[in-house]
């Protein structure tokens, strides 16, 4: 590969030598190293270009973006560490085409057309691909202004609409929005084969239908898809991905009920200890509910790009940097973040000497520096214990979580340096270690996001691994990395049984904030001041809300009309085709027949879902479902009227007397004494009972 010449060629065409040249050269070089694995018979790119002008290679890169190829992991030939390859595969295909034009001898003088192509590719097309967007809009006026072309918009329109640009950027012909040729013309480029990482607008979706139609499982499928992950056709593999996202905090699941309140869902006042050094008493503090917690995660995630972060083999320490509620110490945290280090107080003594690897030597030094003769430090004294941990126990590569009080954390960092002593004017906080800060949120996030217990007042100590949510901590550590390359991570809140709560009471101002155009960063962005914390709050655009609604549940009024306007609805009805035969019994015919009778006697919203039967593998399992689920459900539907239950089950007829059915037996009741047995208008009354043995003779497969 003629790497240096290629970089210069790119630079001559207006591309930045570092950001464009190095990245493209690396991609093309990687393709050349893997020619055999990509199915090319050639040993170098020059030979491949002479053969077919890279037609085979570019087609192979395009095929690698298909769902089937992604699921097989074909992209790992080129990107062994990547978990989000779609955008990069598209870009690499474009860059290979550029290398082909370089080999063809195309002159890259910085003409206006070249400048336009390069600018739109680097500022619009490539970032959109890296974010796995479905499309990107290019406003002619913006390009004209950025390049200083002095009303060169006719040329811009010609370049963007032309086949040369489509081949150059590997895009389909654009959709033209607005006047055909004007500064206000917008060209919309779609990306073939790219699954969106983040939907074009926030998703507010409610899945509704009768019980047992798979609504809860379908929300898991939808949540995985919205999070940008591969939706496997294998249920077990899909649920593994779902639970990984759940543990990482990308998905939250909550079930609504009649007692749920705004304080549980958004924020409310909770009793808490007062100041950190208070030993008694409590105060009421505003604590975020489930919605505000996941909204905060979504808002502070700038997108990890291709970054992954593993905590395997690392120690994780809690650490305080000054007193969080003391304004005098506020500068310490800001200094540490800006300087790329962490600070520890306790004793203005330089612990750099190797002898201080011994706890006894630290005790001795502290004793000598004691303010009174009665000061007798021990191994458990904070002045000994904390410097020992900071100097000796903490290693490079370990993690620190910086507390904000006992209930919040505000930063996560990786230790990158050894102990240093940097004395300060006035003493104190002279101990430091270099830290790469991975995540910072000065407002603070509840400790429960990462740890099962509140922090203690110790300024530094090792956290118990078994009580840490490792998956969530890894996500936090990666979520603010490579912000320039990654799109904000999508987050999903699943609300099961959304119609069982008092919607207006639970959602409050969220009724308005949920609207897509009022999300943070959108055209009509809207924030409100929350009633308890008094903080401004808006709903981020990368937070999707999924709900389920059981149409057979009439325990409360119908769904709030205001919320209904803000959600899309997708109906899920029973699907008998998902059921197989069991020991000769046609489950599909059984479910279809039952539901036809229910709809006739009641309505379509009270049908029985296929999920009731989906796991039946034998007649005995089917009997259990019929006996303990279907018949009690039907009895509830018809308020205990077993005559109607019998009609649904096919065990009712107009004949008088006792009768044995397939599922229910009927026994005529004797007329009690005192009631005339000769009264012709007296109706016959029956006792219904569930049979010990069921018969499915009416539903046997042919």
């Amino acid at each position: 590969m003629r790497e240096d010449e290629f970089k210069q060629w790119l630079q001559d065409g207006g591309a930045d030598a570092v950001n464009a040249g190095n990245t493209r050269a690396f991609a093309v070089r990687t393709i050349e190293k893997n020619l055999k694995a990509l199915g090319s018979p050639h040993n170098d790119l020059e030979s491949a270009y002479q053969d077919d002008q890279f037609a085979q290679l570019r087609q192979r890169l395009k095929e690698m973006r298909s769902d089937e190829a992604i699921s097989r992991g074909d992209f790992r030939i080129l990107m062994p560490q990547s978990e989000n390859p779609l955008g990069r595969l598209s870009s690499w295909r474009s860059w290979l085409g550029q290398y082909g034009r370089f080999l063809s001898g195309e002159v890259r003088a910085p003409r206006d057309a070249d400048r336009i192509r390069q600018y739109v590719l680097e500022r619009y097309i490539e970032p959109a691909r890296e974010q796995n967007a479905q499309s990107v809009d290019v406003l002619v006026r913006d390009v004209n202004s950025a390049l200083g072309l002095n009303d060169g918009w006719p040329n811009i329109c010609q370049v963007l609409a032309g086949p040369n640009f489509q081949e150059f950027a590997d895009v389909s012909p654009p959709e033209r929005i607005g006047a055909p040729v004007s500064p206000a013309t917008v060209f919309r480029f779609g990306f073939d084969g790219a699954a969106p990482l983040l939907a074009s607008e926030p998703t507010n979706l409610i899945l509704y239908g009768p019980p047992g139609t798979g609504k809860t499982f379908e929300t898991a499928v939808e949540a995985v898809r919205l999070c940008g992950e591969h939706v496997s056709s294998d249920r077990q593999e899909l649920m593994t991905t779902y639970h990984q996202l759940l543990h990482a905090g990308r998905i939250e699941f909550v079930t609504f009920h009649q007692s749920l309140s705004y304080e549980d869902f958004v924020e409310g006042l909770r009793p808490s200890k007062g100041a950190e050094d208070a030993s008694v008493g409590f105060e009421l503090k505003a604590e975020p509910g489930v919605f505000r917690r996941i909204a905060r995660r979504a808002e502070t995630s700038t997108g990890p790009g291709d970054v992954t972060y593993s905590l395997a083999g690392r120690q994780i320490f809690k650490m305080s940097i000054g007193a969080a509620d003391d304004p005098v110490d506020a500068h310490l945290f800001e200094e540490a973040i800006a300087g790329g280090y962490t600070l520890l107080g306790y004793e203005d003594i330089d612990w750099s000497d190797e002898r201080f690897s011994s706890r006894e030597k630290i005790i001795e030094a502290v004793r000598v520096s004691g303010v009174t003769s009665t000061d007798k430090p021990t191994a458990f004294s904070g002045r000994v214990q904390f410097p020992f941990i900071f100097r000796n126990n903490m290693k490079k590569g370990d993690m620190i979580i910086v507390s904000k009080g006992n209930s919040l954390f505000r930063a996560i960092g990786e230790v990158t340096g050894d102990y240093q002593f940097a004395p300060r004017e006035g003493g104190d906080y002279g101990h430091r270690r270099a830290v790469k800060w991975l995540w910072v949120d000065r407002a603070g996030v509840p400790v429960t996001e990462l740890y099962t217990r509140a922090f203690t007042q110790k300024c530094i100590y090792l956290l118990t691994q078994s009580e840490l949510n490792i998956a969530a901590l890894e996500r936090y550590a990666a979520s603010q990395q490579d912000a320039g390359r990654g799109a904000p991570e999508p987050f999903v809140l699943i609300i099961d049984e959304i119609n069982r709560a008092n919607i207006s009471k639970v959602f409050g101002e969220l009724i308005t904030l949920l609207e897509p155009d009022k999300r943070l960063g959108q055209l009509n962005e809207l924030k409100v001041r929350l009633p308890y914390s008094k903080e401004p709050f808006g709903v981020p655009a990368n937070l999707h809300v999924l709900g389920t609604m059981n149409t057979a549940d009439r325990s409360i009024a119908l769904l709030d009309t205001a919320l209904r306007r803000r959600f899309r609805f997708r109906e899920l009805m029973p699907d008998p085709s998902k059921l197989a035969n069991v020991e000769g019994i046609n489950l599909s015919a059984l479910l279809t027949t039952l539901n036809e009778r229910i709809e006739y006697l009641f309505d379509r919203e009270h049908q029985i879902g296929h999920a009731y039967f989906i796991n039946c593998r034998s007649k005995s399992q089917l009997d259990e479902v019929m006996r303990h689920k279907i018949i009690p459900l039907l009895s509830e539907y018809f308020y205990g009227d077993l005559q109607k239950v019998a009609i649904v089950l096919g065990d009712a007829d107009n004949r008088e007397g006792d009768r044995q059915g397939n599922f229910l037996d009927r026994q005529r009741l004797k007329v009690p004494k005192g009631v005339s047995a000769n009264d012709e208008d007296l109706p016959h009354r029956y006792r219904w009972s569930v049979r010990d043995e069921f018969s499915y003779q009416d539903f046997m497969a042919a």
Side-chain angles (χ1 to χ4, degrees):
M1 176 188 173
R2 295 156 57 186
E3 184 170 336
D4 292 337
E5 295 173 72
F6 179 50
K7 290 180 183 179
Q8 186 61 50
W9 182 83
L10 290 169
Q11 188 176 6
D12 291 341
D16 181 80
V18 175
N19 293 337
N22 289 345
T23 302
R24 286 161 175 71
F26 169 80
V28 175
R29 186 170 66 249
T30 302
I31 292 172
E32 185 174 63
K33 288 180 180 179
N34 293 278
L35 285 174
K36 297 298 183 184
L38 292 172
S40 174
H42 304 287
N43 295 321
D44 56 67
L45 287 175
E46 283 69 18
S47 300
Y49 182 77
Q50 291 176 5
D51 184 20
D52 62 1
Q53 285 71 54
F54 294 152
Q56 180 269 332
L57 285 173
R58 297 189 72 201
Q59 179 62 29
R60 179 72 176 101
L61 291 174
K62 184 174 184 178
E63 292 170 355
M64 289 170 72
R65 288 154 45 197
S66 69
D67 289 344
E68 182 179 354
I70 292 296
S71 65
R72 288 197 307 264
D74 289 3
F75 61 92
R76 299 197 186 281
I77 296 172
L78 301 174
M79 308 166 194
Q81 303 300 321
S82 178
E83 296 299 330
N84 179 27
L86 289 173
R88 293 176 65 190
L89 284 171
S90 295
S91 297
W92 285 30
R93 184 167 178 259
S94 298
W95 300 339
L96 182 64
Q98 287 182 324
Y99 190 66
R101 289 194 297 278
F102 157 71
L103 292 177
S104 72
E106 177 181 313
V107 178
R108 293 283 289 174
R111 303 183 304 272
D112 282 350
D114 262 343
R115 292 175 62 205
I116 293 167
R117 292 190 189 101
Q118 198 72 39
Y119 181 84
V120 174
L121 180 69
E122 292 182 2
R123 301 301 178 93
Y124 291 92
I125 303 297
E126 289 173 7
R129 283 202 180 106
E130 288 294 323
Q131 296 172 15
N132 280 357
Q134 289 178 301
S135 62
V136 63
D137 291 347
V138 179
L139 177 60
V140 169
R141 181 185 290 114
D142 290 348
V143 178
N144 185 74
S145 174
L147 296 180
L149 294 178
N150 299 320
D151 296 324
W153 45 266
N155 187 30
I156 296 173
C157 292
Q158 182 180 5
V159 170
L160 296 182
N164 288 342
F165 179 77
Q166 294 160 30
E167 201 277 335
F168 173 79
D170 190 25
V171 293
S172 302
E175 174 188 359
R176 199 189 308 254
I177 303 173
V181 178
S182 83
T185 299
V186 175
F187 288 92
R188 175 166 295 166
F189 294 95
F191 303 119
D192 180 40
L197 174 66
L198 183 62
S200 57
E201 67 175 29
T203 296
N204 295 331
L205 173 66
I206 290 179
L207 305 176
Y208 70 100
T213 52
K215 296 182 292 296
T216 303
F217 173 72
E218 193 62 29
T219 58
V221 175
E222 193 71 19
V224 169
R225 185 189 68 79
L226 288 172
C227 283
E229 300 294 331
H230 172 64
V231 179
S232 174
S233 57
D234 180 81
R235 185 186 182 103
Q236 184 175 356
E237 183 179 337
L238 172 73
M239 294 309 296
T240 297
T241 303
Y242 170 79
H243 286 296
Q244 288 172 346
L245 293 168
L246 194 69
H247 293 152
R250 297 273 304 281
I251 297 174
E252 281 281 357
F253 184 95
V254 61
T255 300
F256 274 12
H257 51 82
Q258 289 91 333
S259 298
L260 196 76
S261 66
Y262 176 92
E263 288 73 17
D264 300 314
F265 191 60
V266 183
E267 73 166 14
L269 295 176
R270 297 287 185 270
S272 173
K273 290 184 65 175
E276 287 188 41
D277 58 352
S279 58
V280 295
F282 70 91
E283 61 182 355
L284 293 176
K285 285 189 175 181
E287 288 193 7
V290 61
F291 188 90
R292 195 176 172 207
R293 289 198 302 272
I294 192 171
R296 187 62 180 168
R297 281 176 231 152
E299 186 179 357
T300 57
S301 171
T302 59
D306 292 326
V307 173
T308 57
Y309 212 90
S310 172
L311 297 179
R314 303 173 190 258
Q315 298 181 100
I316 301 165
F317 294 87
K318 174 266 182 184
M319 191 165 184
S320 303
I321 303 180
D325 56 355
D326 187 351
V328 176
D329 286 353
H331 71 284
L332 295 172
F333 178 75
E334 296 300 330
E335 175 191 328
I337 298 301
Y341 50 77
T342 186
L343 294 168
L344 180 73
Y346 291 94
E347 304 299 329
D348 202 22
I349 300 174
D350 185 355
W351 305 112
S352 300
D353 194 286
E354 183 59 30
R355 73 179 188 275
F356 292 119
S357 60
S358 164
R359 193 187 300 266
E360 287 70 23
K361 293 299 182 181
I362 293 180
I363 295 174
E364 180 181 331
V366 171
R367 183 181 297 114
V368 170
S369 67
V371 294
T372 67
S373 59
T374 59
D375 186 21
K376 296 181 179 180
T378 69
F380 300 103
S381 301
R383 294 187 299 150
V384 173
Q385 186 181 32
F386 302 148
F388 183 82
I389 294 173
F390 191 71
R391 183 198 186 280
N392 300 313
N393 290 357
M394 188 178 284
K395 309 296 182 185
K396 290 181 182 178
D398 288 345
M399 307 290 291
I400 61 172
I401 301 174
V402 180
S403 62
K404 184 179 183 181
N406 290 340
S407 60
L408 302 174
F409 68 95
R410 53 179 171 172
I412 299 171
E414 177 186 354
V415 179
T416 58
D418 295 323
Y419 168 81
Q420 294 178 327
F421 182 62
R424 307 162 65 90
E425 185 177 350
D428 208 5
Y429 288 99
H431 313 292
R432 67 172 59 172
R433 296 190 69 150
V435 170
K436 177 184 178 182
W437 295 110
L438 303 171
W439 176 91
V440 178
D441 182 0
R442 290 166 176 80
V445 171
V447 174
T448 51
E449 293 277 293
L450 301 179
Y451 204 53
T452 58
R453 293 183 287 155
F455 290 146
T456 70
Q457 295 176 24
K458 292 181 178 180
C459 72
I460 182 172
Y461 63 92
L462 186 66
L463 295 175
T464 306
Q465 289 273 346
S466 61
E467 296 187 273
L468 276 163
N469 185 337
I470 298 297
L473 181 54
E474 288 177 340
R475 188 199 65 77
Y476 271 103
S479 66
Q480 291 183 6
Q481 303 305 296
D482 268 2
R485 289 199 301 148
E489 296 172 292
F491 290 74
V492 180
L493 175 63
I494 299 175
I495 305 174
D496 202 28
E497 306 285 1
I498 193 171
N499 59 323
R500 288 187 59 82
N502 184 331
I503 295 298
S504 59
K505 176 183 176 183
V506 172
F507 273 78
E509 62 277 325
L510 294 185
I511 291 288
T512 300
L513 300 181
L514 279 173
E515 294 185 38
D517 69 316
K518 293 182 175 62
R519 301 289 191 96
L520 297 180
Q522 300 304 303
L523 180 64
N524 299 315
E525 174 184 312
L526 185 65
K527 288 186 177 182
V528 299
R529 192 163 296 278
L530 295 174
Y532 296 113
S533 64
K534 307 303 180 185
E535 295 177 357
F537 175 69
V539 180
N542 56 324
L543 174 58
H544 307 285
V545 182
L546 303 178
T548 68
M549 188 172 74
N550 187 346
T551 56
D553 183 3
R554 302 291 183 177
S555 60
I556 62 171
L558 294 176
L559 191 65
D560 187 280
T561 304
L563 192 70
R564 182 178 290 275
R565 292 198 308 271
R566 290 162 173 86
F567 276 78
R568 293 188 295 110
F569 284 75
R570 182 191 303 167
E571 185 179 53
L572 293 182
M573 295 301 289
D575 186 358
S577 66
K578 293 182 178 294
L579 303 178
N581 295 343
V582 172
E583 295 187 15
I585 303 168
N586 189 334
L587 294 186
S588 177
L590 172 63
L591 180 62
T592 299
T593 302
L594 295 180
N595 282 333
E596 287 176 350
R597 294 166 179 170
I598 292 172
E599 187 172 357
Y600 181 88
L601 294 173
F602 205 156
D603 58 37
R604 70 188 299 272
E605 295 183 344
H606 284 75
Q607 295 181 54
I608 296 170
H610 53 271
Y612 283 100
F613 300 99
I614 202 76
N615 292 320
C616 291
R617 298 292 182 267
S618 65
K619 181 179 179 299
S620 61
Q621 291 178 333
L622 177 58
D623 287 347
E624 287 292 306
V625 169
M626 291 297 297
R627 186 181 308 278
H628 299 297
K629 294 183 178 180
I630 302 302
I631 293 176
L633 180 64
L634 293 173
S635 181
E636 179 183 341
Y637 279 177
F638 296 109
Y639 304 99
D641 187 347
L642 291 181
Q643 173 69 27
K644 290 185 177 178
V645 175
I647 294 174
V648 172
L649 295 173
D651 285 345
D653 58 33
N654 295 324
R655 293 176 294 174
E656 297 182 4
D658 298 348
R659 184 173 185 273
Q660 289 185 339
N662 294 326
F663 303 96
L664 301 178
D665 287 341
R666 185 181 70 182
Q667 181 181 3
R668 182 175 176 179
L669 296 174
K670 295 180 180 179
V671 179
K673 292 182 179 180
V675 178
S676 173
N678 296 323
D679 190 341
E680 295 181 358
D681 296 328
L682 187 68
H684 298 302
R685 299 187 181 276
Y686 298 95
R687 175 189 297 122
W688 294 90
S689 59
V690 180
R691 298 198 62 184
D692 293 333
E693 184 73 22
F694 292 158
S695 171
Y696 300 92
Q697 59 184 1
D698 296 337
F699 305 104
M700 300 305 293

